[in-house]
Amino acid sequence: MHKGRARAYTNIALIKYWGKKDETLILPMNNSLSLTLNAFYTETEVIFDETYTQDSFYLDGELQDAKATSKVSQFLDIVRQLSEEKSYAQVTSKNFVPTAAGLASSASGLAALAAACNEALDLQLSDRALSRLARRGSGSACRSIFGGFVEWEQGTDDASSYAQPLNSDDWTDDLAMLFILVNDQQKDISSRDGMKRTVETSSFYPGWLEEVPKDLAIAKKAISEKDFTTLGTVTEANCLKMHGTTLAAVPPFTYWSPDSLKAMQAVRSLRSAGIECYFTMDAGPNVKLLIEKKNLAQAQAYLETLFDSAQLVSAFAGPGIEILK
Ligand code: ADP
Ligand code: DP6
């Protein structure tokens, strides 16, 4: 019997990963850049045991159906290939984040699973190798191996596609993200399906690929200069460009709901009132504000006039993978 437990935190991309050039290896079309957060995370235990007759997957106390289990099983197959291990496994996971609601449960979920497997089988993977392994489960998971600002190098093959931290700890301490939870139910179109449809059919997708390297360069320079205005402006612009691509997909779709637009408008109002903050969104209707810690209370007070206080959750920069005993 081999057992390992790990915790991984979600990350939110400021410059988005949107589209794959290799769906099996999960190689992205573009580099991306994220901030790992402390408020949302996953804890996962994995046990490999010769007596098991199949893989099983418990999420939040419930045994998962064949479809959900097969995704975990496919990842375990990659781990078994990498190691000498032949046994089936039992995976028991708890999401301290709503699942599949555009709040990056796949990032924390698969990063925690990768780290738990590394621990259980004593694979002794370096952080970079662990990032590559997590990537095979879900692209954004490769960034959750590390804390703070993290860049995922798209690479050209399995060996060259991994995330690494930007080492900007002293600035991440000044920053916060405020989540406006407009809906925490499972979304209709997963990130995986949404990006695939966009790559294959959206006439706006080539425009996205042209823009990302420029946005990324601006964001990295802003981080190195601790220039919040520039980082926030490019974060919001990059999110809008990503979401724009879905409107030209066939059939078209959007992750936005009327409440997402209400939240975006609230961010613009805050800015007009001199409280600097910027929004970003992922594959779901929830809106995340990037803000400096010093302005968080004022923004929260304003947003409480528009949304229920239970819908507002603040987060700060979070750490990388943690091994649990
Ligand atoms: P999200 O916006 O929450 O990341 P996605 O559609 O991108 O939504 O991914 C959700 C999928 O991630 C789930 O359907 C499941 O396959 C996987 N996932 C989420 N949490 C876990 C977990 N704790 N362990 C393993 N897989 C998970
Ligand atoms: C919009 O990493 O969930 O959140 O690699 O298919 O598992 P798969 O997709 P996933 O996609 C995340 C997309 C995004 C942007 C981002 O996190 O960079």
Side-chain angles (χ1 to χ4, degrees):
M1 198 263 269
H2 303 290
K3 177 166 148 181
R5 286 183 70 209
R7 180 189 296 136
Y9 295 82
T10 57
N11 70 79
I12 296 297
L14 308 185
I15 304 298
K16 305 292 181 191
Y17 148 49
W18 195 240
K20 297 178 180 68
K21 59 190 174 205
D22 185 320
E23 286 177 15
T24 309
L25 291 174
I26 310 203
L27 302 180
M29 287 285 213
N30 60 270
N31 287 23
S32 53
L33 189 156
S34 59
L35 182 62
T36 302
L37 297 173
N38 66 354
F40 294 124
Y41 55 95
T42 298
E43 289 179 357
T44 296
E45 176 183 272
V46 62
I47 300 174
F48 290 88
D49 193 308
E50 314 175 322
T51 63
Y52 295 152
T53 52
Q54 57 182 5
D55 291 325
S56 59
F57 175 36
Y58 292 82
L59 182 57
D60 297 332
E62 280 186 30
L63 182 63
Q64 300 294 294
D65 64 15
K67 192 169 166 230
T69 306
S70 86
K71 278 176 89 170
V72 166
S73 238
Q74 276 172 29
F75 182 78
L76 293 170
D77 286 342
I78 295 169
V79 172
R80 283 184 282 252
Q81 260 171 32
L82 198 80
S83 64
E84 304 286 284
E85 188 62 42
K86 305 264 184 303
S87 313
Y88 288 111
Q90 175 179 294
V91 174
T92 309
S93 187
K94 188 156 170 50
N95 279 343
F96 296 85
V97 51
T99 303
L103 295 170
S105 71
S106 61
S108 56
L110 273 299
L113 180 58
C117 289
N118 187 29
E119 187 65 11
L121 302 177
D122 196 24
L123 300 176
Q124 302 194 3
L125 298 178
S126 64
D127 282 352
R128 180 171 293 180
L130 190 56
S131 174
R132 287 172 43 215
L133 176 62
R135 190 201 76 229
R136 302 288 307 271
S138 179
S140 54
C142 77
R143 299 186 307 237
S144 275
I145 303 304
F146 304 100
F149 285 120
V150 178
E151 181 177 2
W152 176 11
E153 271 291 331
Q154 57 173 310
T156 51
D157 56 12
D158 178 46
S160 56
S161 186
Y162 50 79
Q164 46 195 348
L166 287 191
N167 292 325
S168 42
D169 292 357
D170 52 335
W171 194 38
T172 53
D173 283 350
D174 298 342
L175 303 177
M177 251 194 196
L178 182 57
F179 286 63
I180 306 178
L181 305 177
V182 303
N183 187 342
D184 63 3
Q185 297 304 300
Q186 291 219 1
K187 57 206 177 195
D188 300 332
I189 305 175
S190 67
S191 322
R192 188 159 297 185
D193 295 347
M195 70 174 81
K196 181 171 160 61
R197 190 193 296 177
T198 305
V199 171
E200 287 171 357
T201 66
S202 174
S203 57
F204 292 175
Y205 193 72
W208 161 257
L209 287 182
E210 259 175 53
E211 289 295 297
V212 182
K214 297 181 217 162
D215 288 351
L216 183 70
I218 293 168
K220 285 173 73 172
K221 183 161 180 280
I223 289 171
S224 71
E225 293 171 355
K226 303 184 184 176
D227 175 351
F228 183 71
T229 303
T230 303
L231 182 64
T233 304
V234 76
T235 293
E236 192 170 297
N238 185 264
C239 150
L240 290 169
K241 288 174 206 172
M242 178 207 122
H243 285 270
T245 64
T246 70
L247 300 179
V250 185
F253 65 104
T254 181
Y255 290 108
W256 298 0
S257 71
D259 274 342
S260 313
L261 291 167
K262 179 178 155 188
M264 290 182 218
Q265 193 48 44
V267 171
R268 295 184 183 113
S269 302
L270 278 164
R271 278 209 297 268
S272 306
I275 302 165
E276 201 178 2
C277 57
Y278 301 88
F279 64 77
T280 188
M281 288 179 68
D282 293 288
N286 299 304
V287 175
K288 299 115 191 179
L289 267 67
L290 182 65
I291 189 160
E292 287 168 293
K293 256 186 203 168
K294 62 180 186 201
N295 291 328
L296 183 60
Q298 260 187 305
Q300 185 135 5
Y302 172 70
L303 292 170
E304 278 174 5
T305 66
L306 300 172
F307 299 93
D308 212 77
S309 54
Q311 290 177 271
L312 305 173
V313 181
S314 50
F316 304 108
I321 284 292
E322 292 171 347
I323 299 305
L324 305 171
K325 289 296 163 199

